[in-house]
């Protein structure tokens, strides 16, 4: 049963990613944003879907605020060390004034040694 769930989870990740990329190609960034909102309403947005949307927003030259909102959502739903590291790197390069707040939130979830890994 766990193998089936893992298989389904992988399928859902790739399906959401492919769906968002398809909508972006055919309807642009606004269509992709609507598609993401629809996926969220089903409460099933997988990690890969959020990462794809971040890449689409980046390609589109979207605002720092929109990117920050998506990163915040990514780490709140899927708070892996890798996602926190990516969020901090984004803040350091695009909005350094937010880095301290993001690091503080990260410290609430992880130990000092894990934080050191993130900061490397």
């Amino acid at each position: 049963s766990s193998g089936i769930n893992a298989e389904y989870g992988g399928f859902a990740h790739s399906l959401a990613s492919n769906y968002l990329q398809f909508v972006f190609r055919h309807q642009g960034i606004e269509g992709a944003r609507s598609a993401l909102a629809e996926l969220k309403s089903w409460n099933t947005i997988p990690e890969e879907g959020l990462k794809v949307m971040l890449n689409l927003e980046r390609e589109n030259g979207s605002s720092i605020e929109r990117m920050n909102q998506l990163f915040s959502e990514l780490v709140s739903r899927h708070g892996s060390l890798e996602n926190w590291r990516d969020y901090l790197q984004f803040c350091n390069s695009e909005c350094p004034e937010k880095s301290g707040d993001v690091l503080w939130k990260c410290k609430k979830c992880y130990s000092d040694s894990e934080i050191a890994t993130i900061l490397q």
Side-chain angles (χ1 to χ4, degrees):
S1 166
S2 66
I4 292 171
N5 288 340
E7 210 173 287
Y8 172 75
F11 175 75
H13 288 305
S14 65
L15 184 62
S17 300
N18 290 339
Y19 174 63
L20 289 169
Q21 289 170 344
F22 174 83
V23 171
F24 177 73
R25 279 194 304 275
H26 294 284
Q27 298 177 11
I29 194 70
E30 289 302 322
R33 288 174 185 157
S34 294
L36 181 67
E38 184 178 343
L39 288 171
K40 286 182 200 176
S41 74
W42 300 341
N43 201 24
T44 59
I45 186 69
E47 181 177 9
E48 258 335 284
L50 287 169
K51 287 181 175 183
V52 164
M53 196 66 203
L54 274 164
N55 287 332
L56 296 176
E57 294 283 6
R58 193 174 283 130
E59 280 179 32
N60 191 60
S62 297
S63 71
I64 300 292
E65 293 79 22
R66 184 171 295 279
M67 297 287 294
N68 190 53
Q69 178 185 7
L70 274 172
F71 265 116
S72 180
E73 187 170 348
L74 177 65
V75 297
S76 68
R77 289 178 182 254
H78 309 283
S80 69
L81 288 172
E82 177 187 347
N83 290 341
W84 279 105
R85 180 177 34 250
D86 292 346
Y87 190 12
L88 278 168
Q89 287 174 348
F90 165 77
C91 287
N92 287 337
S93 66
E94 302 296 330
C95 50
E97 70 281 0
K98 296 185 189 284
S99 294
D101 186 46
V102 171
L103 188 57
W104 181 80
K105 288 177 185 173
C106 188
K107 283 184 176 188
K108 290 175 24 179
C109 302
Y110 293 103
S111 69
D112 288 344
S113 62
E114 289 169 319
I115 298 291
T117 302
I118 291 172
L119 295 174
Q120 289 178 358

